[in-house]
Amino acid sequence: MTRLYIVSAKKFLNIAVTVWFIVAVVGQWIFATYVILFYGKATATGHNEDWNKVLPHGYVEGETTGNIVVGIHLLLTIIIVIGGPLQIIPGIRKSFPVIHRWTGRIYILVAFVMSLSGLFMVWVRGSVGGITQHISISFNAVLIMISAVCAIRYARRRDFKRHRVWAMRLFLFVNGVWFFRVGLHFWLLINEGPVGFDPRTFQGPFLTFLSISQYSLPFIFFEMYLKASKSANRIFVFSAASILFLFTVIMAIGVFAATVGSWGPKMN
Ligand code: HEM
């Protein structure tokens, strides 16, 4: 009987993580579509100044180097956001191992360029938000680079168990900025407006909390999932699965709110 309970708890956990992944991929691809249709279209039609409708420091007349860095950051968003899930889906990974190896190397290179260009945008170019947010997102960049190095190191050593864990951590840290946007729109929707921060300065306790949560919460949930998937304690496994479901519901509402309130209207 106990064995039966633990089998159904594990099934529940697997369903929770699969549903989480599907919702995350759909939401990330909507975000990538927005980047293509908004920034891509503005750039392709020679209206780079339209970037500034979203990014106050996006395009600065005469600052060629800075504009190129922002342009690269936006262009590579498309690759990293669309490519990330494709690296992880087991069917694709197992059917095309050679492609997985090459696209994996590209993904890691892109993760580094995204992080370094992001650091440049925060500390040299200047961006919205306060110092705590800037430090927090910089820490996110460091986490991306550390997990990228670990993922490739374990793949080279053919320690695929550890490689998979680090690749998943890399995927979550890379999507920290996406979690931030989804979390923000969830918050704006449930509060029917900005609460806990000043929308003019884009600063306040809620945004500080969110900028730390964007990488720490997904990381904690993933570690919890890893422990639960090996655990024989059905209460722990059920609790972990329930937390993942709750996280998925919040994420789905956030994706919906971001799509309707921000990404969607800029796509045409
Ligand atoms: C690796 C995954 C990342 C992706 C996919 C990504 C994507 C983007 C996108 C699409 C934008 C345009 C804003 C929007 O339309 O929502 C943006 C802006 C920006 N990103 Fe990233 N980014 C990533 C990582 C980072 C990191 C690690 C940093 C900092 C270290 C960073 C710093 C910035 C800054 C400063 C802006 C401009 C915000 C402003 O003007 O105030 N990004 N990013």
Side-chain angles (χ1 to χ4, degrees), residues 122-152:
V122 171
W123 298 107
V124 181
R125 198 114 223 257
S127 80
V128 295
I131 186 77
T132 41
Q133 283 163 257
H134 293 169
I135 292 171
S136 188
I137 196 165
S138 302
F139 186 55
N140 194 155
V142 173
L143 290 173
I144 292 172
M145 292 187 279
I146 291 174
S147 33
V149 170
C150 292
I152 202 149

PDB file of all heavy atoms in Angstrom, residues 122-152:
ATOM      1  N   VAL A 122      23.892  47.500 -17.691  1.00  0.00           N
ATOM      2  CA  VAL A 122      23.573  47.936 -16.330  1.00  0.00           C
ATOM      3  C   VAL A 122      24.583  48.964 -15.834  1.00  0.00           C
ATOM      4  O   VAL A 122      24.213  50.033 -15.344  1.00  0.00           O
ATOM      5  CB  VAL A 122      23.548  46.722 -15.358  1.00  0.00           C
ATOM      6  CG1 VAL A 122      23.443  47.191 -13.910  1.00  0.00           C
ATOM      7  CG2 VAL A 122      22.382  45.809 -15.684  1.00  0.00           C
ATOM      8  N   TRP A 123      25.875  48.642 -15.972  1.00  0.00           N
ATOM      9  CA  TRP A 123      26.905  49.443 -15.296  1.00  0.00           C
ATOM     10  C   TRP A 123      27.525  50.535 -16.160  1.00  0.00           C
ATOM     11  O   TRP A 123      28.095  51.486 -15.641  1.00  0.00           O
ATOM     12  CB  TRP A 123      27.998  48.532 -14.732  1.00  0.00           C
ATOM     13  CG  TRP A 123      27.437  47.587 -13.702  1.00  0.00           C
ATOM     14  CD1 TRP A 123      27.227  46.260 -13.862  1.00  0.00           C
ATOM     15  CD2 TRP A 123      26.972  47.904 -12.381  1.00  0.00           C
ATOM     16  NE1 TRP A 123      26.663  45.723 -12.723  1.00  0.00           N
ATOM     17  CE2 TRP A 123      26.502  46.707 -11.802  1.00  0.00           C
ATOM     18  CE3 TRP A 123      26.908  49.090 -11.628  1.00  0.00           C
ATOM     19  CZ2 TRP A 123      25.971  46.660 -10.501  1.00  0.00           C
ATOM     20  CZ3 TRP A 123      26.378  49.026 -10.339  1.00  0.00           C
ATOM     21  CH2 TRP A 123      25.918  47.832  -9.792  1.00  0.00           C
ATOM     22  N   VAL A 124      27.465  50.396 -17.480  1.00  0.00           N
ATOM     23  CA  VAL A 124      28.088  51.424 -18.335  1.00  0.00           C
ATOM     24  C   VAL A 124      27.004  52.291 -18.966  1.00  0.00           C
ATOM     25  O   VAL A 124      27.034  53.510 -18.884  1.00  0.00           O
ATOM     26  CB  VAL A 124      28.980  50.770 -19.423  1.00  0.00           C
ATOM     27  CG1 VAL A 124      29.640  51.831 -20.296  1.00  0.00           C
ATOM     28  CG2 VAL A 124      30.019  49.854 -18.796  1.00  0.00           C
ATOM     29  N   ARG A 125      26.040  51.646 -19.589  1.00  0.00           N
ATOM     30  CA  ARG A 125      24.995  52.370 -20.313  1.00  0.00           C
ATOM     31  C   ARG A 125      23.983  53.012 -19.356  1.00  0.00           C
ATOM     32  O   ARG A 125      23.465  54.090 -19.600  1.00  0.00           O
ATOM     33  CB  ARG A 125      24.268  51.356 -21.210  1.00  0.00           C
ATOM     34  CG  ARG A 125      23.473  52.009 -22.322  1.00  0.00           C
ATOM     35  CD  ARG A 125      24.045  51.681 -23.581  1.00  0.00           C
ATOM     36  NE  ARG A 125      24.207  52.657 -24.592  1.00  0.00           N
ATOM     37  CZ  ARG A 125      23.430  52.775 -25.649  1.00  0.00           C
ATOM     38  NH1 ARG A 125      22.333  52.089 -25.747  1.00  0.00           N
ATOM     39  NH2 ARG A 125      23.741  53.600 -26.604  1.00  0.00           N
ATOM     40  N   GLY A 126      23.692  52.302 -18.304  1.00  0.00           N
ATOM     41  CA  GLY A 126      22.672  52.773 -17.354  1.00  0.00           C
ATOM     42  C   GLY A 126      21.331  52.158 -17.687  1.00  0.00           C
ATOM     43  O   GLY A 126      20.977  52.029 -18.858  1.00  0.00           O
ATOM     44  N   SER A 127      20.620  51.736 -16.652  1.00  0.00           N
ATOM     45  CA  SER A 127      19.303  51.145 -16.905  1.00  0.00           C
ATOM     46  C   SER A 127      18.349  51.556 -15.786  1.00  0.00           C
ATOM     47  O   SER A 127      18.759  52.153 -14.794  1.00  0.00           O
ATOM     48  CB  SER A 127      19.410  49.620 -16.980  1.00  0.00           C
ATOM     49  OG  SER A 127      19.452  49.076 -15.699  1.00  0.00           O
ATOM     50  N   VAL A 128      17.087  51.199 -15.969  1.00  0.00           N
ATOM     51  CA  VAL A 128      16.084  51.555 -14.954  1.00  0.00           C
ATOM     52  C   VAL A 128      16.331  50.765 -13.672  1.00  0.00           C
ATOM     53  O   VAL A 128      17.045  49.770 -13.666  1.00  0.00           O
ATOM     54  CB  VAL A 128      14.642  51.281 -15.469  1.00  0.00           C
ATOM     55  CG1 VAL A 128      14.297  52.170 -16.633  1.00  0.00           C
ATOM     56  CG2 VAL A 128      14.443  49.816 -15.815  1.00  0.00           C
ATOM     57  N   GLY A 129      15.731  51.218 -12.564  1.00  0.00           N
ATOM     58  CA  GLY A 129      15.853  50.492 -11.293  1.00  0.00           C
ATOM     59  C   GLY A 129      16.959  51.036 -10.414  1.00  0.00           C
ATOM     60  O   GLY A 129      17.762  51.868 -10.849  1.00  0.00           O
ATOM     61  N   GLY A 130      16.992  50.550  -9.179  1.00  0.00           N
ATOM     62  CA  GLY A 130      17.969  51.035  -8.204  1.00  0.00           C
ATOM     63  C   GLY A 130      19.173  50.128  -8.082  1.00  0.00           C
ATOM     64  O   GLY A 130      19.245  49.086  -8.745  1.00  0.00           O
ATOM     65  N   ILE A 131      20.067  50.518  -7.174  1.00  0.00           N
ATOM     66  CA  ILE A 131      21.345  49.817  -7.026  1.00  0.00           C
ATOM     67  C   ILE A 131      21.153  48.352  -6.601  1.00  0.00           C
ATOM     68  O   ILE A 131      21.857  47.464  -7.090  1.00  0.00           O
ATOM     69  CB  ILE A 131      22.280  50.592  -6.050  1.00  0.00           C
ATOM     70  CG1 ILE A 131      23.678  49.963  -6.005  1.00  0.00           C
ATOM     71  CG2 ILE A 131      21.711  50.705  -4.651  1.00  0.00           C
ATOM     72  CD1 ILE A 131      24.529  50.283  -7.199  1.00  0.00           C
ATOM     73  N   THR A 132      20.165  48.097  -5.719  1.00  0.00           N
ATOM     74  CA  THR A 132      19.980  46.695  -5.275  1.00  0.00           C
ATOM     75  C   THR A 132      19.537  45.824  -6.454  1.00  0.00           C
ATOM     76  O   THR A 132      20.007  44.690  -6.598  1.00  0.00           O
ATOM     77  CB  THR A 132      18.934  46.580  -4.132  1.00  0.00           C
ATOM     78  OG1 THR A 132      17.852  47.433  -4.424  1.00  0.00           O
ATOM     79  CG2 THR A 132      19.528  46.930  -2.790  1.00  0.00           C
ATOM     80  N   GLN A 133      18.675  46.370  -7.306  1.00  0.00           N
ATOM     81  CA  GLN A 133      18.254  45.617  -8.495  1.00  0.00           C
ATOM     82  C   GLN A 133      19.447  45.391  -9.420  1.00  0.00           C
ATOM     83  O   GLN A 133      19.597  44.326 -10.002  1.00  0.00           O
ATOM     84  CB  GLN A 133      17.167  46.373  -9.261  1.00  0.00           C
ATOM     85  CG  GLN A 133      15.802  46.280  -8.630  1.00  0.00           C
ATOM     86  CD  GLN A 133      14.886  47.355  -9.175  1.00  0.00           C
ATOM     87  OE1 GLN A 133      14.643  48.353  -8.517  1.00  0.00           O
ATOM     88  NE2 GLN A 133      14.401  47.176 -10.383  1.00  0.00           N
ATOM     89  N   HIS A 134      20.299  46.418  -9.538  1.00  0.00           N
ATOM     90  CA  HIS A 134      21.461  46.289 -10.430  1.00  0.00           C
ATOM     91  C   HIS A 134      22.431  45.220  -9.920  1.00  0.00           C
ATOM     92  O   HIS A 134      22.951  44.417 -10.691  1.00  0.00           O
ATOM     93  CB  HIS A 134      22.183  47.638 -10.567  1.00  0.00           C
ATOM     94  CG  HIS A 134      21.351  48.661 -11.279  1.00  0.00           C
ATOM     95  ND1 HIS A 134      21.677  49.998 -11.332  1.00  0.00           N
ATOM     96  CD2 HIS A 134      20.188  48.541 -11.952  1.00  0.00           C
ATOM     97  CE1 HIS A 134      20.744  50.648 -12.014  1.00  0.00           C
ATOM     98  NE2 HIS A 134      19.840  49.792 -12.392  1.00  0.00           N
ATOM     99  N   ILE A 135      22.629  45.232  -8.596  1.00  0.00           N
ATOM    100  CA  ILE A 135      23.533  44.218  -8.015  1.00  0.00           C
ATOM    101  C   ILE A 135      22.905  42.833  -8.183  1.00  0.00           C
ATOM    102  O   ILE A 135      23.579  41.868  -8.559  1.00  0.00           O
ATOM    103  CB  ILE A 135      23.823  44.538  -6.527  1.00  0.00           C
ATOM    104  CG1 ILE A 135      24.648  45.814  -6.429  1.00  0.00           C
ATOM    105  CG2 ILE A 135      24.541  43.371  -5.836  1.00  0.00           C
ATOM    106  CD1 ILE A 135      24.833  46.365  -5.024  1.00  0.00           C
ATOM    107  N   SER A 136      21.601  42.755  -7.956  1.00  0.00           N
ATOM    108  CA  SER A 136      20.940  41.460  -8.037  1.00  0.00           C
ATOM    109  C   SER A 136      20.991  40.869  -9.448  1.00  0.00           C
ATOM    110  O   SER A 136      21.305  39.689  -9.625  1.00  0.00           O
ATOM    111  CB  SER A 136      19.493  41.603  -7.564  1.00  0.00           C
ATOM    112  OG  SER A 136      18.911  40.344  -7.476  1.00  0.00           O
ATOM    113  N   ILE A 137      20.710  41.691 -10.454  1.00  0.00           N
ATOM    114  CA  ILE A 137      20.727  41.150 -11.826  1.00  0.00           C
ATOM    115  C   ILE A 137      22.174  40.821 -12.244  1.00  0.00           C
ATOM    116  O   ILE A 137      22.406  39.892 -13.017  1.00  0.00           O
ATOM    117  CB  ILE A 137      20.009  42.059 -12.850  1.00  0.00           C
ATOM    118  CG1 ILE A 137      19.726  41.237 -14.114  1.00  0.00           C
ATOM    119  CG2 ILE A 137      20.766  43.311 -13.159  1.00  0.00           C
ATOM    120  CD1 ILE A 137      18.747  41.814 -15.080  1.00  0.00           C
ATOM    121  N   SER A 138      23.134  41.560 -11.674  1.00  0.00           N
ATOM    122  CA  SER A 138      24.547  41.241 -11.978  1.00  0.00           C
ATOM    123  C   SER A 138      24.904  39.884 -11.385  1.00  0.00           C
ATOM    124  O   SER A 138      25.643  39.096 -11.992  1.00  0.00           O
ATOM    125  CB  SER A 138      25.474  42.310 -11.406  1.00  0.00           C
ATOM    126  OG  SER A 138      25.118  43.560 -11.948  1.00  0.00           O
ATOM    127  N   PHE A 139      24.359  39.606 -10.197  1.00  0.00           N
ATOM    128  CA  PHE A 139      24.581  38.299  -9.578  1.00  0.00           C
ATOM    129  C   PHE A 139      23.945  37.210 -10.450  1.00  0.00           C
ATOM    130  O   PHE A 139      24.517  36.130 -10.633  1.00  0.00           O
ATOM    131  CB  PHE A 139      23.992  38.305  -8.160  1.00  0.00           C
ATOM    132  CG  PHE A 139      24.285  37.061  -7.387  1.00  0.00           C
ATOM    133  CD1 PHE A 139      25.593  36.621  -7.204  1.00  0.00           C
ATOM    134  CD2 PHE A 139      23.263  36.294  -6.840  1.00  0.00           C
ATOM    135  CE1 PHE A 139      25.871  35.449  -6.502  1.00  0.00           C
ATOM    136  CE2 PHE A 139      23.521  35.131  -6.137  1.00  0.00           C
ATOM    137  CZ  PHE A 139      24.833  34.708  -5.970  1.00  0.00           C
ATOM    138  N   ASN A 140      22.781  37.530 -11.030  1.00  0.00           N
ATOM    139  CA  ASN A 140      22.122  36.592 -11.953  1.00  0.00           C
ATOM    140  C   ASN A 140      23.061  36.291 -13.135  1.00  0.00           C
ATOM    141  O   ASN A 140      23.200  35.145 -13.561  1.00  0.00           O
ATOM    142  CB  ASN A 140      20.799  37.206 -12.439  1.00  0.00           C
ATOM    143  CG  ASN A 140      19.879  36.216 -13.126  1.00  0.00           C
ATOM    144  OD1 ASN A 140      18.669  36.380 -13.177  1.00  0.00           O
ATOM    145  ND2 ASN A 140      20.443  35.146 -13.674  1.00  0.00           N
ATOM    146  N   ALA A 141      23.724  37.350 -13.647  1.00  0.00           N
ATOM    147  CA  ALA A 141      24.659  37.161 -14.770  1.00  0.00           C
ATOM    148  C   ALA A 141      25.806  36.230 -14.370  1.00  0.00           C
ATOM    149  O   ALA A 141      26.204  35.347 -15.129  1.00  0.00           O
ATOM    150  CB  ALA A 141      25.207  38.518 -15.227  1.00  0.00           C
ATOM    151  N   VAL A 142      26.314  36.415 -13.137  1.00  0.00           N
ATOM    152  CA  VAL A 142      27.419  35.562 -12.650  1.00  0.00           C
ATOM    153  C   VAL A 142      26.940  34.111 -12.533  1.00  0.00           C
ATOM    154  O   VAL A 142      27.648  33.178 -12.940  1.00  0.00           O
ATOM    155  CB  VAL A 142      27.948  36.102 -11.287  1.00  0.00           C
ATOM    156  CG1 VAL A 142      28.955  35.143 -10.679  1.00  0.00           C
ATOM    157  CG2 VAL A 142      28.554  37.491 -11.461  1.00  0.00           C
ATOM    158  N   LEU A 143      25.722  33.926 -12.024  1.00  0.00           N
ATOM    159  CA  LEU A 143      25.173  32.565 -11.896  1.00  0.00           C
ATOM    160  C   LEU A 143      25.039  31.893 -13.266  1.00  0.00           C
ATOM    161  O   LEU A 143      25.305  30.697 -13.414  1.00  0.00           O
ATOM    162  CB  LEU A 143      23.804  32.605 -11.208  1.00  0.00           C
ATOM    163  CG  LEU A 143      23.801  32.976  -9.722  1.00  0.00           C
ATOM    164  CD1 LEU A 143      22.371  33.142  -9.221  1.00  0.00           C
ATOM    165  CD2 LEU A 143      24.522  31.921  -8.894  1.00  0.00           C
ATOM    166  N   ILE A 144      24.628  32.685 -14.267  1.00  0.00           N
ATOM    167  CA  ILE A 144      24.513  32.135 -15.628  1.00  0.00           C
ATOM    168  C   ILE A 144      25.880  31.633 -16.095  1.00  0.00           C
ATOM    169  O   ILE A 144      26.013  30.501 -16.572  1.00  0.00           O
ATOM    170  CB  ILE A 144      23.984  33.214 -16.624  1.00  0.00           C
ATOM    171  CG1 ILE A 144      22.527  33.579 -16.316  1.00  0.00           C
ATOM    172  CG2 ILE A 144      24.118  32.739 -18.068  1.00  0.00           C
ATOM    173  CD1 ILE A 144      21.990  34.763 -17.120  1.00  0.00           C
ATOM    174  N   MET A 145      26.906  32.466 -15.887  1.00  0.00           N
ATOM    175  CA  MET A 145      28.236  32.098 -16.399  1.00  0.00           C
ATOM    176  C   MET A 145      28.820  30.907 -15.638  1.00  0.00           C
ATOM    177  O   MET A 145      29.423  30.021 -16.237  1.00  0.00           O
ATOM    178  CB  MET A 145      29.150  33.323 -16.381  1.00  0.00           C
ATOM    179  CG  MET A 145      28.693  34.364 -17.406  1.00  0.00           C
ATOM    180  SD  MET A 145      29.800  35.755 -17.621  1.00  0.00           S
ATOM    181  CE  MET A 145      29.365  36.798 -16.254  1.00  0.00           C
ATOM    182  N   ILE A 146      28.588  30.867 -14.308  1.00  0.00           N
ATOM    183  CA  ILE A 146      29.099  29.727 -13.520  1.00  0.00           C
ATOM    184  C   ILE A 146      28.417  28.430 -13.986  1.00  0.00           C
ATOM    185  O   ILE A 146      29.076  27.419 -14.237  1.00  0.00           O
ATOM    186  CB  ILE A 146      28.857  29.944 -12.004  1.00  0.00           C
ATOM    187  CG1 ILE A 146      29.735  31.073 -11.480  1.00  0.00           C
ATOM    188  CG2 ILE A 146      29.123  28.652 -11.213  1.00  0.00           C
ATOM    189  CD1 ILE A 146      29.468  31.464 -10.030  1.00  0.00           C
ATOM    190  N   SER A 147      27.090  28.488 -14.141  1.00  0.00           N
ATOM    191  CA  SER A 147      26.414  27.231 -14.521  1.00  0.00           C
ATOM    192  C   SER A 147      26.747  26.832 -15.956  1.00  0.00           C
ATOM    193  O   SER A 147      26.782  25.629 -16.263  1.00  0.00           O
ATOM    194  CB  SER A 147      24.901  27.276 -14.286  1.00  0.00           C
ATOM    195  OG  SER A 147      24.391  28.531 -14.489  1.00  0.00           O
ATOM    196  N   ALA A 148      27.020  27.823 -16.813  1.00  0.00           N
ATOM    197  CA  ALA A 148      27.431  27.494 -18.195  1.00  0.00           C
ATOM    198  C   ALA A 148      28.759  26.737 -18.174  1.00  0.00           C
ATOM    199  O   ALA A 148      28.918  25.713 -18.853  1.00  0.00           O
ATOM    200  CB  ALA A 148      27.551  28.776 -19.024  1.00  0.00           C
ATOM    201  N   VAL A 149      29.709  27.228 -17.368  1.00  0.00           N
ATOM    202  CA  VAL A 149      31.020  26.576 -17.278  1.00  0.00           C
ATOM    203  C   VAL A 149      30.859  25.158 -16.715  1.00  0.00           C
ATOM    204  O   VAL A 149      31.427  24.198 -17.248  1.00  0.00           O
ATOM    205  CB  VAL A 149      31.987  27.416 -16.394  1.00  0.00           C
ATOM    206  CG1 VAL A 149      33.258  26.644 -16.084  1.00  0.00           C
ATOM    207  CG2 VAL A 149      32.313  28.741 -17.076  1.00  0.00           C
ATOM    208  N   CYS A 150      30.048  25.017 -15.661  1.00  0.00           N
ATOM    209  CA  CYS A 150      29.861  23.692 -15.042  1.00  0.00           C
ATOM    210  C   CYS A 150      29.179  22.735 -16.020  1.00  0.00           C
ATOM    211  O   CYS A 150      29.568  21.566 -16.116  1.00  0.00           O
ATOM    212  CB  CYS A 150      29.036  23.803 -13.765  1.00  0.00           C
ATOM    213  SG  CYS A 150      29.928  24.657 -12.466  1.00  0.00           S
ATOM    214  N   ALA A 151      28.172  23.237 -16.748  1.00  0.00           N
ATOM    215  CA  ALA A 151      27.447  22.357 -17.686  1.00  0.00           C
ATOM    216  C   ALA A 151      28.395  21.810 -18.740  1.00  0.00           C
ATOM    217  O   ALA A 151      28.394  20.610 -19.042  1.00  0.00           O
ATOM    218  CB  ALA A 151      26.298  23.119 -18.339  1.00  0.00           C
ATOM    219  N   ILE A 152      29.240  22.671 -19.277  1.00  0.00           N
ATOM    220  CA  ILE A 152      30.142  22.212 -20.348  1.00  0.00           C
ATOM    221  C   ILE A 152      31.266  21.343 -19.775  1.00  0.00           C
ATOM    222  O   ILE A 152      31.680  20.351 -20.379  1.00  0.00           O
ATOM    223  CB  ILE A 152      30.670  23.391 -21.204  1.00  0.00           C
ATOM    224  CG1 ILE A 152      31.121  22.877 -22.560  1.00  0.00           C
ATOM    225  CG2 ILE A 152      31.789  24.157 -20.550  1.00  0.00           C
ATOM    226  CD1 ILE A 152      30.958  23.871 -23.675  1.00  0.00           C
TER     227      ILE A 152
END
